[in-house]
Amino acid sequence: MSDHKVVLALGANLGNRLEALKKAIIKLESCGIRMEAKSRVWETKPWGVTEQPLFLNMCMTARTDLEPIELLCLLKKTEAELGRSAGTRWGPREIDIDVIFFDSLSLKVPKLEIPHPRMHERGFVLRPLIEIAPDIVHPILGKSAAELFEELPDSEKDGMVWISEV
């Protein structure tokens, strides 16, 4: 058994968004994901498909004995159990849970790319991430989360509002 450090990003923009994030964390912990830290919850503008409700986003660092594909399967199962259905890419969703980092692994296989291929472009990932792991280094870009956030255009930083803690 291995002990892997992972960073997960969670988001929701349909239904009771805050409750969906809380339920996702509880479900993941009940499946052996050992949370180390969690960010505050931020309300953010949609990314990609912009004509949809605002999102609530957060990040968490955790430990797991699962391997990357096993973790992905757990995340997809958790999303389905919390009401997520197939829909438009970057469209509205009840819950979304993405693997941002898995140790310092660089991996690209069908359905999973680590580190997350667009995380460095997304304020809604980097803003919560720098609360809990500002010094974590992107294994391909060689920059910390804090450095990546500072490099974002202002349009990716604007409009984020701290909402709550979970």
Side-chain angles (χ1 to χ4, degrees):
M1 244 184 208
S2 298
D3 182 43
H4 302 288
K5 182 169 185 167
V6 297
V7 174
L8 304 177
L10 296 83
N13 76 334
L14 294 178
N16 186 331
R17 303 169 300 165
L18 188 58
E19 191 63 25
L21 296 175
K22 290 176 181 178
K23 285 180 177 179
I25 291 169
I26 291 167
K27 180 69 177 163
L28 293 173
E29 289 179 317
S30 75
C31 294
I33 304 298
R34 301 174 304 280
M35 184 173 31
E36 292 185 321
K38 61 185 174 186
S39 73
R40 296 180 293 174
V41 176
W42 294 83
E43 189 169 61
T44 64
K45 298 179 291 189
W47 193 95
V49 177
T50 57
E51 295 299 318
Q52 60 178 309
L54 295 174
F55 275 84
L56 292 186
N57 291 101
M58 65 176 295
C59 286
M60 63 184 274
T61 58
R63 295 276 176 185
T64 182
D65 295 326
L66 299 175
E67 295 302 318
I69 299 300
E70 294 172 315
L71 177 61
L72 178 65
C73 290
L74 172 63
L75 300 182
K76 295 303 172 197
K77 179 181 175 200
T78 301
E79 289 175 346
E81 289 174 358
L82 295 176
R84 180 159 181 187
S85 53
T88 305
R89 184 174 192 195
W90 300 325
R93 61 205 76 162
E94 294 81 0
I95 190 71
D96 184 41
I97 312 169
D98 288 330
V99 179
I100 303 302
F101 294 118
F102 190 103
D103 294 329
S104 58
L105 182 67
S106 178
L107 173 72
K108 188 172 185 175
V109 296
K111 300 191 188 263
L112 181 61
E113 190 169 345
I114 301 171
H116 190 283
R118 289 167 298 283
M119 60 85 53
H120 62 284
E121 302 170 352
R122 296 177 170 176
F124 67 84
V125 171
L126 290 169
R127 180 64 191 95
L129 179 57
I130 63 174
E131 283 184 38
I132 56 173
D135 299 325
I136 194 166
V137 174
H138 192 291
I140 297 170
L141 301 176
K143 296 180 179 179
S144 71
E147 290 170 320
L148 293 171
F149 182 76
E150 286 305 314
E151 292 177 358
L152 286 175
D154 288 343
S155 61
E156 275 298 310
K157 297 178 192 176
D158 295 341
M160 288 188 272
V161 179
W162 172 71
I163 296 293
S164 179
E165 296 185 19
V166 289

